[in-house]
Amino acid sequence: MSKARKYLRVNSYQLKGSLKRNGYDWWWHSFTGYKKSTGEARAFFIEYFFINPSRSPNEVVYGQTSEHSHPSYFMVKAGSWGTDGAQIHNFYPLKDVEFRRKKEFSIKAGRCLYSEKQITGMVSVSPEEAANHPEYMSDAGSMAWNLKVNKTITFNPGYGTSWFFRKLNAFQMYWHAQGVKTEYTGTVMYNGEEYIVPGEESYGYADKNWGKDFTSPWLWLSSCNLVSEISGQKLKNTCFDVGGGCPRVFGIPLHRRLLVFLSYEGQKIEFNFSKFWVKSTVTFNFVEGEDVLHWSVSAQNKKYLLDIDGYCNTDEMLFVNYESPSGAKNFDRLWNGGTGYGEVKLFQKTKGNTLEIVEHAKFTNAGCEYGEYKKNVE
């Protein structure tokens, strides 16, 4: 069994035990499509999201109400970044969700389908609904999609997502990236405009998160569209993924910890604090400018040093909305974008504590995220 196929177990439904009443589980997809009429590029996202499924299986319960209830629902979130960007939410009671758990895992609710090889669906919220229902946490708009999915490079964080730590619900927030590099093929209709999603040039990404609550700070940066500054060639088998912030293990915060993964033309390099024998260290910084956000990450292990500088224009981003299993909405400025850009530099450590440049590349079409809980929230 290949590792990617083995990791499908981690990529399946994780809300078991206490997480059924106090947990969330979601599958995230982001990619680029091109307007059929003009060829203009546009970045999209789609997410399939469960929260507290056993609390109210027969009806949707929203957390952002005057009663501040524990939410319970299946939500489909979809939308786009950039001009006329929006996040659009539709909700379903758990009784209306169909699961297929044997052989190939899938989820179906209404016209929305999630599986490893195909995602389809539609969401729609009218301006009146968006204005009159703040509990939806949604903008107005509509989007429909029919996409084949080919996840070609996987990052599994390792011991933290092993069956043992999953069974213990040791981490407050888990992360698994089944498709750091993913090819989406098909079509999207966004607010009445048709977009073509062309496989390799979709520059797609797919991951999942689950747990009892979120992490603060919350940082994510990833791209699979890189061009070498050394050779001038496109690095077709290269991608990177950075995630984390402040993981909690058995309630204990591990301050300022990131997981960093680089697949460089087939060679996989990790900077992973849970693999102590690799002796990884990662430092990061985030600067919120008025017009541009800046992520800087420096990671090293015994063999390599990796420096990443990422940027995204604020007018192309959203403040993405989530509520926790408790019903709290602790993020009010969770920056989220899909049009990031920047550069990476990879060095190999040689004898005598010198560094030898391996690659210097520019990247675009990056997914990016950063947020911290509101003040007075731990």
Side-chain angles (χ1 to χ4, degrees), residues 127-343:
E128 292 76 20
E129 288 173 320
N132 296 324
H133 292 278
E135 70 274 19
Y136 293 177
M137 303 180 293
S138 178
D139 300 317
S142 65
M143 179 168 154
W145 59 95
N146 186 358
L147 299 164
K148 294 182 179 179
V149 182
N150 180 26
K151 302 172 184 176
T152 62
I153 297 177
T154 296
F155 169 50
N156 180 275
Y159 294 98
T161 58
S162 66
W163 70 269
F164 178 73
F165 285 104
R166 298 200 314 269
K167 187 174 180 64
L168 293 177
N169 291 330
F171 282 79
Q172 181 171 278
M173 184 175 189
Y174 290 87
W175 178 42
H176 173 76
Q178 188 70 21
V180 181
K181 179 178 170 64
T182 299
E183 298 173 354
Y184 294 92
T185 305
T187 59
V188 169
M189 289 291 294
Y190 181 70
N191 288 338
E193 293 281 355
E194 184 175 2
Y195 292 79
I196 306 300
V197 185
E200 187 173 340
E201 292 185 357
S202 65
Y203 308 118
Y205 176 85
D207 74 358
K208 74 168 299 179
N209 289 97
W210 73 97
K212 295 173 284 189
D213 207 342
F214 312 129
T215 185
S216 175
W218 178 344
L219 183 151
W220 169 56
L221 186 64
S222 182
S223 176
C224 62
N225 186 13
L226 295 93
V227 176
S228 173
E229 290 286 283
I230 297 174
S231 68
Q233 299 298 307
K234 193 165 189 175
L235 302 174
K236 294 187 177 181
N237 199 26
T238 294
C239 59
F240 69 87
D241 205 5
V242 181
C246 182
R248 287 177 178 262
V249 186
F250 297 112
I252 301 171
L254 304 179
H255 297 289
R256 299 188 69 80
R257 299 291 181 93
L258 294 181
L259 298 172
V260 180
F261 169 77
L262 172 69
S263 179
Y264 176 62
E265 296 302 275
Q267 180 184 6
K268 296 187 177 182
I269 304 169
E270 286 188 42
F271 306 88
N272 189 329
F273 64 84
S274 73
K275 299 180 179 180
F276 60 88
W277 60 91
V278 181
K279 297 183 178 179
S280 298
T281 60
V282 180
T283 59
F284 67 91
N285 191 38
F286 174 79
V287 177
E288 181 178 327
E290 183 176 346
D291 301 317
V292 179
L293 308 183
H294 178 200
W295 293 254
S296 58
V297 179
S298 183
Q300 59 179 310
N301 57 27
K302 291 187 293 185
K303 294 183 178 181
Y304 296 100
L305 168 66
L306 177 67
D307 286 332
I308 305 173
D309 278 291
Y311 306 86
C312 197
N313 300 334
T314 58
D315 61 1
E316 297 177 356
M317 303 185 73
L318 298 169
F319 290 127
V320 71
N321 291 323
Y322 292 107
E323 57 187 1
S324 71
S326 69
K329 189 173 182 291
N330 291 324
F331 289 106
D332 56 7
R333 292 176 64 84
L334 180 53
W335 288 103
N336 179 276
T339 58
Y341 56 93
E343 64 180 351

Side-chain angles (χ1 to χ4, degrees), residues 1-14 16 27 101 103-106 114-117 149 151 154-156 166 176-179 208 210:
M1 180 186 296
S2 70
K3 284 188 176 181
R5 186 164 182 80
K6 174 185 175 182
Y7 293 149
L8 290 177
R9 299 173 183 173
V10 183
N11 208 48
S12 64
Y13 187 70
Q14 298 296 332
K16 303 168 186 176
W27 294 260
R101 303 195 187 192
K103 294 185 178 180
E104 293 187 7
F105 174 70
S106 66
Y114 165 85
S115 70
E116 284 296 320
K117 297 180 180 180
V149 182
K151 302 172 184 176
T154 296
F155 169 50
N156 180 275
R166 298 200 314 269
H176 173 76
Q178 188 70 21
K208 74 168 299 179
W210 73 97

